[in-house]
Amino acid sequence: LSVRANDTEYKNFITNALKEGIQEGKIKAYNVYFGIGGNDVTARFMTLPKLSQKDMLSSIILELKKQGPFEPKEVYYDFKIVSEMSDRTGPKVHVLVAIAKKQVIDQKIELLNQIGMKTIGVSVLQTAFLNIMQKLKVLLEGETVAILDIGAKFTNMHFVRSGVIDFSRDIATAGDHITQSMVRTITLPDKEMVINLEEAERIKKEC
């Protein structure tokens, strides 16, 4: 779900594509969650003292301000406790903190509203992938699993240990880069073979 600000033609294209997908899939549920990743969201892991919900949020805001410019009024932010531990100083929690610009989220919600969808929640891709893996019951206690989601612009890489996200990164090398790297002219003894973008995409999907 990608939305470009002030690009009416592109928004109409996305809206029509969603409508067609809903009709073809005979989707009747209109309360939706959507996931965000890549440039749309900043996700960070922090280890903090175990506190109340209110105090935890205040502590996270202080940590975010230490790491760089942070304006709470311009963003949506939330956190999820992914694991708990304890050391000599007392109980600690390992949290996943997600930050997204309000403009980005509001545009996506508006677009969904236009096709009759009501947004009831927003998730970062890290937790969305983990929820899918847990639903499929493929995560085993004590096992470490790598999850790779290779999109067009970004590859989302997550390491899950014993059902808990242990490491997560978005890498700016993905499907488009693979396709571009395959575009070339190969000189053979009797002819030249040209691999254009369309042919490279076909070969990539078949491999």
Side-chain angles (χ1 to χ4, degrees):
L1 181 61
S2 177
V3 182
R4 299 171 186 168
N6 303 319
D7 191 337
T8 303
E9 184 178 349
Y10 187 73
K11 289 179 182 178
N12 290 337
F13 170 77
I14 294 295
T15 301
N16 292 331
L18 285 171
K19 286 180 178 178
E20 290 176 9
I22 290 167
Q23 291 173 354
E24 291 177 7
K26 297 179 180 180
I27 298 171
K28 296 181 179 179
Y30 292 99
N31 292 333
V32 299
Y33 280 87
F34 66 83
I36 52 175
N39 287 334
D40 287 344
V41 63
T42 299
R44 299 174 183 171
F45 286 96
M46 296 181 183
T47 300
L48 301 167
K50 188 175 182 180
L51 303 167
S52 67
Q53 187 89 356
K54 181 180 178 180
D55 290 340
M56 184 82 70
L57 200 53
S58 297
S59 181
I60 287 170
I61 292 172
L62 287 174
E63 287 296 322
L64 291 172
K65 287 183 176 180
K66 289 179 185 177
Q67 296 177 18
F70 177 70
E71 281 297 333
K73 293 181 180 180
E74 297 178 3
V75 298
Y76 292 117
Y77 54 95
D78 202 355
F79 70 94
K80 177 183 177 66
I81 296 175
V82 295
S83 64
E84 297 188 22
M85 65 214 78
S86 186
D87 60 18
R88 290 177 297 177
T89 61
K92 296 280 176 43
V93 289
H94 192 49
V95 299
L96 172 62
V97 181
I99 311 153
K101 290 183 178 179
K102 285 186 176 181
Q103 181 184 14
V104 172
I105 300 299
D106 291 345
Q107 284 176 348
K108 294 179 188 296
I109 292 174
E110 179 188 354
L111 186 147
L112 290 168
N113 286 340
Q114 290 174 5
I115 59 173
M117 293 289 188
K118 180 182 178 182
T119 301
I120 58 175
V122 181
S123 177
V124 294
L125 292 181
Q126 286 91 332
T127 55
F129 287 132
L130 181 59
N131 291 340
I132 293 171
M133 298 293 281
Q134 290 173 335
K135 187 71 174 178
L136 295 174
K137 298 181 179 179
V138 295
L139 299 175
L140 302 177
E141 186 66 31
E143 184 179 55
T144 299
V145 176
I147 304 173
L148 282 177
D149 174 40
I150 304 175
K153 303 295 183 184
F154 289 90
T155 295
N156 311 116
M157 179 174 64
H158 317 288
F159 287 92
V160 180
R161 181 166 54 188
S162 298
V164 176
I165 299 173
D166 201 48
F167 179 85
S168 183
R169 284 289 184 277
D170 289 335
I171 305 169
T173 300
D176 284 354
H177 296 83
I178 297 172
T179 304
Q180 290 285 353
S181 69
M182 294 168 64
V183 176
R184 65 190 62 198
T185 299
I186 301 174
T187 303
L188 301 174
D190 57 340
K191 62 177 181 178
E192 284 190 342
M193 184 171 70
V194 178
I195 301 178
N196 57 26
L197 275 173
E198 184 178 347
E199 182 69 8
E201 185 71 16
R202 183 189 65 78
I203 295 170
K204 181 182 74 175
K205 290 179 178 179
E206 291 179 354
C207 290

